[in-house]
Amino acid sequence: MTNRTSSVSRRSALKFVGAGGGAVAASTLLAACAGAQSNSAAKGAGTFPSTPPWRFVFVNHVTTNSFFVPTRSGLADAAALLGLPEPQWTGSQGGNVSEMASAFDTAITSNADGIAIALTDDNAFVDPTRRALAKGIPVIAYNATAANNYTLTYVGQDLYRSGFLMGQRIAKDITSGDILVGISQPGGNNVQPRLDGITDALKQAAPGVTVKSVNTGAEQAAELNAITAAYTGNPGAKGIYAVDAGSTASIAQLITSRSLQGKVRAGGYDTLADTIKGVSSGALDFTIDQSAYLQGFLPVLYMYLFRLSGTLVTPPMTDTGLTFVTKDNVGPYLSANSKFEGGPNAALVPMPPSVPLPPATALTR
């Protein structure tokens, strides 16, 4: 992993077009749509020409996982905004690559108008991507990507960098001893880069820390048992962490049920209800928000614009972000209970009186 570690500063500077780039594209389109609602001559969405009812397909690796509830809200919202049918949600419930490849093939043979896929495997989706593009079907990667594929772009978090930054944060609290790190799909492109980043960062910042990975499995219901068994077998662990949503929520449940707050450090990813409660109660030091909603919303916008422009509007590479959610900023996550984070509230979320300063932008020269 040394080659990846040495490039993290460069990746941090370059990033992708970024959440800002995605937000600009989205806001431009939204403004066009909103500004033309009263224009009776407009036949399509906003000022755009009318289009066929383009049918988009999302191929996913864990179709029933709670993490993707806001993703599905996002894709449905974007389709409704553009007057398109809600995209199909298909793939595998348990991370089965063959099932995902079969769903990908079905989308191609049925002449879908665009396909978004989580590239959890380096090789299985290369040929289907080639075949889709050869048939004029745009393909976008979301949530996970692979370096050797040919998708038009990637919409999701910079996974390795997020793990590296998480490892640096862990090193501020733990400098020696064992830590447990839950991972739902070892080797999967959706989570393995995070674990690699954590390990590499700790080798640099806290070489006395030993990372013990815990295979929690892709089935969300079984992750608590796996985390509990791992901690029972390693009661001296200084910290319990995870690189996926279900494992992180399970850690919050374990620490709460055994009253381990303050006795073991903990953290992870995403904003499931148990995770947010865990951050609020102090069971978790932090969780990382990667904007799951945008991972559904933006691919629909990008595929729409790509087709509408006849390939002239190339979709930008979009990092959907990395926000450390702690006790200091967890309040809105709890109070809003918004669909943007997987909650049931679809109402307008009020803006706070002020917006905290984000990290200063690092621009290339």
Side-chain angles (χ1 to χ4, degrees), residues 48-92:
F48 295 123
S50 61
T51 69
W54 287 327
R55 183 176 59 88
F56 298 147
V57 177
F58 278 68
V59 179
N60 189 262
H61 49 293
V62 280
T63 53
T64 58
N65 193 286
S66 301
F67 167 81
F68 287 105
V69 170
T71 304
R72 297 185 69 177
S73 294
L75 64 88
D77 285 351
L81 178 70
L82 300 170
L84 299 178
E86 182 173 327
Q88 182 184 3
W89 184 255
T90 185
S92 173

Side-chain angles (χ1 to χ4, degrees), residues 12-349:
S12 177
L14 295 176
K15 296 185 179 178
F16 299 123
V17 168
V24 169
S27 63
T28 301
L29 180 56
L30 289 171
C33 293
Q37 292 303 311
S38 61
N39 184 353
S40 59
K43 296 181 180 180
T47 59
F48 295 123
S50 61
T51 69
W54 287 327
R55 183 176 59 88
F56 298 147
V57 177
F58 278 68
V59 179
N60 189 262
H61 49 293
V62 280
T63 53
T64 58
N65 193 286
S66 301
F67 167 81
F68 287 105
V69 170
T71 304
R72 297 185 69 177
S73 294
L75 64 88
D77 285 351
L81 178 70
L82 300 170
L84 299 178
E86 182 173 327
Q88 182 184 3
W89 184 255
T90 185
S92 173
Q93 289 189 25
N96 187 299
V97 172
S98 295
E99 292 175 355
M100 293 177 67
S102 177
F104 198 171
D105 285 336
T106 298
I108 296 169
T109 56
S110 66
N111 295 315
D113 295 298
I115 300 170
I117 180 167
L119 294 179
T120 55
D121 184 87
D122 281 340
N123 302 310
F125 310 119
V126 175
D127 181 63
T129 299
R130 285 176 176 271
R131 287 189 284 109
L133 295 175
K135 291 186 68 174
I137 302 172
V139 181
I140 288 178
Y142 74 100
N143 187 254
T145 190
N148 64 339
N149 206 289
Y150 300 95
T151 54
L152 298 176
T153 194
Y154 168 59
V155 177
Q157 189 179 69
D158 185 338
L159 300 171
Y160 177 80
R161 178 174 177 271
S162 77
F164 196 90
L165 293 177
M166 180 174 168
Q168 290 180 326
R169 191 180 185 96
I170 293 170
K172 295 178 180 179
D173 298 322
I174 302 174
T175 58
S176 64
D178 295 342
I179 65 168
L180 306 177
V181 181
I183 178 171
S184 58
Q185 294 174 271
N189 289 343
N190 54 315
V191 284
Q192 186 65 46
R194 290 173 174 164
L195 180 57
D196 295 341
I198 291 171
T199 303
D200 289 347
L202 288 172
K203 285 178 181 178
Q204 291 184 12
V209 174
T210 299
V211 176
K212 293 187 174 181
S213 63
V214 180
N215 183 352
T216 58
E219 294 292 340
Q220 199 171 351
E223 290 182 294
L224 177 58
N225 289 337
I227 288 291
T228 301
Y231 182 70
T232 300
N234 296 270
K238 299 286 187 67
I240 316 175
Y241 299 93
V243 294
D244 65 274
S247 298
T248 302
S250 296
I251 292 169
Q253 293 174 43
L254 171 65
I255 291 176
T256 300
S257 66
R258 296 198 177 186
S259 300
L260 296 173
Q261 291 95 327
K263 299 177 183 178
V264 60
R265 309 309 294 246
Y269 280 85
D270 304 320
T271 58
L272 301 189
D274 284 322
T275 297
I276 293 301
K277 291 176 183 176
V279 172
S280 179
S281 70
L284 299 177
D285 298 322
F286 64 85
T287 191
I288 294 174
D289 182 7
Q290 60 172 311
S291 297
Y293 180 89
L294 287 180
Q295 295 179 23
F297 192 90
L298 292 178
V300 172
L301 290 182
Y302 291 171
M303 288 187 287
Y304 173 86
L305 286 172
F306 190 75
R307 292 202 70 95
L308 189 74
S309 69
T311 76
L312 295 178
V313 178
T314 302
M317 189 83 77
T318 307
D319 184 346
T320 55
L322 186 158
T323 300
F324 279 98
V325 181
T326 66
K327 262 196 168 184
D328 293 335
N329 62 351
V330 74
Y333 289 85
L334 285 168
S335 60
N337 201 17
S338 169
K339 71 173 183 178
F340 297 113
E341 297 295 342
N345 185 8
L348 179 70
V349 180

